[in-house]
Amino acid sequence: MKTWEYITRRLILLIPVLIGVTILTFVVSHVIPADPAMHFAGGPKAQPETIERIREELHLNEPVLVQYFYYLNDLVHFDLGKSYLESRPVTDSLAQYFPATLELTIFAMLISIPLGIVGGIISAIRRNKLSDHITRFIAIVGYSLPIFWLALMFQYAFAYQIPILPLEGRLSIGVSAPPPVTGLFVVDSLLAGDLEACGSALYHLLMPAFTLGFATLALILRMTRSSMLEVMGADYIRTARAKGLSERTVIFKHALRNALIPTVTVSGLSFGALLGGAVLTETIFNWPGMGRFAASAVIGLDFNSVMGFTLVVAITYVLANLIVDLLYAVIDPRVKLGGV
Amino acid sequence: MLHLFRHSLLSMIGLALILLVVFIAIFAPLLIQEHPSYVEVSTDQGTTRVEERWDINFENKLLPPGPEHYFGTDDFGRDIYSMVVWGTQISLKLCLMVVLTATIIGVILGGVAGYFGGKIDEIIMRVTDVFLAIPYLILAMAVAAALGRSIENIMMALIVVWWPQYARLLRGQVLSIRENQYVEAARSVGASGWRILFRHILPNSFSPLLVQITLDLGAVLLVAAGLSFIGLGASPGTAEWGLMISMGRTHMFHAWWYVTFPGLAILITVLGFNLLGDGIRDITDPKLRR
């Protein structure tokens, strides 16, 4: 099967999942709450007239199935309702905050994946030595840590006790944001040739991105270590050694390529954990992304925004997993593209 | 089986941590210095609910750890040690309720899907696809927001989020176990589908299920604490670890103990479950035994 055919088929298979996701978000927003109109109006303190008006607007007096079609109709017109906290369409808010979250998530992956792979390799080749024990300890603690607590501990240590990193935000005070092209400050400032802004953006990314990526780092470290150990015991590694190849060639040319396959899968799956973690990390580091927006929407009873955020994250996550699956086929020639 | 456990230092540490946490939870009333009282409060929905309250004493506000208050006091002069110890019960109850309920739902649906196959399998699996397409924390946040703020609603939301992976796990188990000869033998003597499912397949799926349950107890605690942290859980003043960290955040730079101790409690509990889960996996899976 050709690659394009495979991609098309995977995209078609996405449709039922996406429809399912809209049914799920519809049920959560319109069916579960005792009084959805009250939720959309901003909670129990809303004016009765407002609640009544919203009940009309959302067709809440109609049968559930009819309500769902109205909901779907709004979705295909990119209408996620109005944000009560920001008095503007939810889509506008999400569009504004999305790039900041994307930048943070990308940097979290850029930090955690290479560190995890290197740590995993070191751990595997030095099995049961001190460095192995240390990395394994980091790994197990890493995914047992509450991310929001880790963030606060880092802030205490590196912004207060030894103040070497900024406490919060995306840029230093006095540095103006680069002209928006992609919305990613690091990229935009480079495009504008503003090295000061770029440096400031990177400096501000360091702590939040490391915090957000820490659990992923731990997971990848474990995964790489165990698959490295498994591969090192394989027959073709013994063959490679018997041929008299150097240990370096054996590890990097023969073992690593095969050991990295499960790591790629884990990296894709961890993208979901990163999006979830962004809610907590962004809140603590005052990072103006979708996650902080969603967390404040939860507190401010801005239900439209919470549901809109959920939907956008679901779609992003589904697409990210598709990309990983495609990548998988590129790395491992044994994967026949047809074998879905 | 226990002798294999002894060879793994990390699993032994995990077991010790969990025994310690369970001990603290059971004997919490005897271990604490100050005791909570209970008051009835009205909720958003117009009903009433019993909530715990801890004595407020502003004279003892934000005292550092010492012999009087092992973990210091918070901004209302409440003893953090007592609240952290008390919170052990709340957290363990929450994790157990969520994971066990999710397991029961998942086992039934996954068992039915795997054993009977066909249309019903197709439907159940497509539903799990949808649930798994949304990251845990975010789906749980949306459901908890729809239900209203309380610890019970966090539990409900986490059950909604957590059952699909058990359905998947059990379906996979059923598909592989179903082909065994003893299942065929049971079928040939006329055992019903349900009997085969509960008497033959389920007992043989026990160890992967146990590993998953142990690891998930920790994972559920982390997500629940995160939801409490953003303000979806108990009302302020409850001895819930995530909530305490959230409350202590504003005082972090002049009262480090306020956020530190509840966080350590979460770390120790989750670490215990993870080490124990890894240990059980290593001894029940002979392939990993080296």
Side-chain angles (χ1 to χ4, degrees):
Chain A
M1 192 185 283
K2 292 204 183 69
T3 315
W4 278 112
E5 267 177 59
Y6 174 71
I7 295 176
T8 323
R9 214 172 111 191
R10 283 301 312 263
L11 283 174
I12 293 169
L13 281 172
L14 269 187
I15 296 169
V17 174
L18 288 177
I19 292 175
V21 166
T22 62
I23 295 176
L24 186 59
T25 50
F26 170 77
V27 169
V28 171
S29 58
H30 288 65
V31 184
I32 291 182
D35 185 357
M38 184 193 81
H39 265 76
F40 286 114
K45 291 190 186 76
Q47 302 286 327
E49 304 90 73
T50 320
I51 295 181
E52 199 44 51
R53 202 192 71 232
I54 285 174
R55 186 165 290 136
E56 282 297 312
E57 274 176 22
L58 293 174
H59 314 278
L60 288 171
N61 298 322
E62 313 251 3
V64 173
L65 209 61
V66 177
Q67 287 182 40
Y68 175 67
F69 281 106
Y70 277 112
Y71 177 77
L72 214 54
N73 186 42
D74 285 348
L75 286 189
V76 294
H77 292 98
F78 295 105
D79 180 3
L80 295 170
K82 201 173 154 193
S83 160
Y84 286 86
L85 279 184
E86 303 202 334
S87 314
R88 58 172 171 170
V90 171
T91 39
D92 288 5
S93 300
L94 289 174
Q96 187 198 324
Y97 296 129
F98 186 80
T101 301
L102 188 67
E103 187 170 42
L104 181 61
T105 325
I106 290 174
F107 274 86
M109 290 183 112
L110 286 180
I111 293 174
S112 61
I113 296 174
L115 277 181
I117 291 175
V118 171
I121 297 170
I122 293 174
S123 208
I125 25 188
R126 319 212 54 187
R127 191 172 174 202
N128 289 332
K129 301 243 174 70
L130 183 66
S131 46
D132 182 26
H133 291 305
I134 294 172
T135 36
R136 286 177 73 189
F137 181 74
I138 294 174
I140 195 127
V141 169
Y143 66 84
S144 305
L145 274 170
I147 188 173
F148 53 98
W149 185 71
L150 181 70
L152 294 173
M153 291 293 118
F154 278 155
Q155 278 188 333
Y156 185 79
F158 301 114
Y160 179 71
Q161 284 294 349
I162 321 163
I164 47 168
L165 289 172
L167 180 66
E168 55 178 35
R170 281 182 93 182
L171 286 173
S172 305
I173 299 163
V175 177
S176 50
V181 183
T182 57
L184 312 180
F185 280 5
V186 173
V187 179
D188 287 356
S189 57
L190 282 180
L191 288 176
D194 185 350
L195 286 181
E196 194 199 354
C198 180
S200 178
L202 283 171
Y203 184 48
H204 279 76
L205 266 165
L206 208 57
M207 194 157 53
F210 186 75
T211 312
L212 181 59
F214 200 68
T216 306
L217 190 160
L219 194 68
I220 288 176
L221 202 122
R222 256 168 80 88
M223 204 65 216
T224 311
R225 179 184 182 271
S226 67
S227 71
M228 226 14 215
L229 284 178
E230 203 179 311
V231 169
M232 295 294 272
D235 288 342
Y236 59 84
I237 295 298
R238 201 174 313 145
T239 313
R241 282 207 178 110
K243 279 198 297 191
L245 294 177
S246 71
E247 195 61 21
R248 201 192 188 84
T249 320
V250 171
I251 289 167
F252 289 99
K253 280 235 151 134
H254 295 253
L256 192 57
R257 289 262 311 250
N258 291 293
L260 280 186
I261 293 163
T263 307
V264 172
T265 321
V266 170
S267 313
L269 291 174
S270 65
F271 189 66
L274 290 178
L275 288 171
V279 173
L280 299 164
T281 319
E282 289 181 0
T283 305
I284 290 168
F285 291 106
N286 205 11
W287 192 264
M290 288 195 302
R292 191 189 68 166
F293 170 63
S296 56
V298 166
I299 300 309
L301 300 173
D302 183 356
F303 201 53
N304 270 333
S305 302
V306 177
M307 294 319 300
F309 168 71
T310 309
L311 197 68
V312 168
V313 167
I315 293 168
T316 315
Y317 187 37
V318 168
L319 292 176
N321 276 322
L322 173 74
I323 294 171
V324 169
D325 277 359
L326 297 176
L327 207 63
Y328 204 80
V330 175
I331 298 182
D332 188 356
R334 286 171 304 183
V335 174
K336 290 275 178 292
L337 288 177
V340 186
Chain B
M1 207 152 159
L2 214 66
H3 70 280
L4 286 167
F5 227 86
R6 274 208 308 271
H7 291 302
S8 159
L9 177 67
L10 287 177
S11 334
M12 286 303 286
I13 297 175
L15 186 64
L17 288 177
I18 292 310
L19 288 177
L20 176 75
V21 171
V22 170
F23 175 85
I24 292 174
I26 293 172
F27 295 103
L30 303 174
L31 295 169
I32 55 181
Q33 297 173 313
E34 282 170 21
H35 290 262
S37 50
Y38 292 89
V39 288
E40 230 175 59
V41 290
S42 54
T43 61
D44 294 352
Q45 284 83 29
T47 51
T48 57
R49 177 171 75 211
V50 176
E51 266 178 16
E52 65 179 53
R53 284 288 147 82
W54 296 75
D55 287 340
I56 289 171
N57 182 357
F58 284 110
E59 277 172 20
N60 290 338
K61 182 178 151 181
L62 296 175
L63 294 176
E68 287 283 303
H69 301 281
Y70 303 144
F71 295 171
T73 59
D74 71 3
D75 46 340
F76 288 93
R78 296 173 292 214
D79 182 45
I80 292 175
Y81 163 77
S82 300
M83 291 178 77
V84 168
V85 167
W86 197 252
T88 315
Q89 276 191 5
I90 298 176
S91 300
L92 282 192
K93 233 186 279 175
L94 182 139
C95 307
L96 279 172
M97 278 292 290
V98 169
V99 174
L100 293 183
T101 317
T103 307
I104 293 169
I105 299 172
V107 161
I108 293 173
L109 291 177
V112 167
Y115 192 79
F116 296 102
K119 267 232 166 66
I120 187 147
D121 179 28
E122 190 65 22
I123 292 170
I124 294 174
M125 284 305 111
R126 291 299 76 81
V127 171
T128 62
D129 277 349
V130 171
F131 277 86
L132 296 171
I134 309 179
Y136 292 148
L137 187 115
I138 288 164
L139 182 57
M141 185 178 86
V143 177
L147 289 168
R149 287 179 216 174
S150 75
I151 291 195
E152 291 75 25
N153 288 341
I154 282 196
M155 274 161 58
M156 287 288 291
L158 286 170
I159 292 167
V160 168
V161 171
W162 235 273
W163 69 267
Q165 53 171 331
Y166 285 98
R168 287 258 167 133
L169 176 72
L170 207 84
R171 176 179 177 269
Q173 286 291 315
V174 173
L175 289 181
S176 68
I177 293 172
R178 181 168 87 157
E179 304 306 325
N180 282 320
Q181 285 188 336
Y182 58 84
V183 174
E184 209 174 304
R187 208 179 295 133
S188 68
V189 296
S192 72
W194 288 103
R195 189 183 158 82
I196 291 172
L197 202 55
F198 282 101
R199 294 298 296 263
H200 298 278
I201 290 175
L202 209 51
N204 282 298
S205 313
F206 186 68
S207 38
L209 213 51
L210 185 68
V211 171
Q212 188 68 35
I213 288 173
T214 315
L215 294 174
D216 278 349
L217 285 168
V220 163
L221 181 56
L222 282 184
V223 177
L227 293 176
S228 285
F229 180 80
I230 49 178
L232 274 168
S235 46
T238 314
E240 201 283 323
W241 295 338
L243 178 73
M244 289 172 74
I245 296 174
S246 159
M247 296 284 120
R249 194 185 153 202
T250 40
H251 302 284
M252 187 170 65
F253 297 131
H254 53 268
W256 57 267
W257 52 89
Y258 196 170
V259 294
T260 305
F261 291 108
L264 281 176
I266 300 177
L267 172 61
I268 288 171
T269 314
V270 179
L271 187 63
F273 283 128
N274 282 339
L275 289 172
L276 190 62
D278 278 354
I280 300 173
R281 173 161 50 205
D282 288 351
I283 60 172
T284 51
D285 187 350
K287 271 179 290 179
L288 293 170
R289 212 183 283 161
R290 293 189 187 173

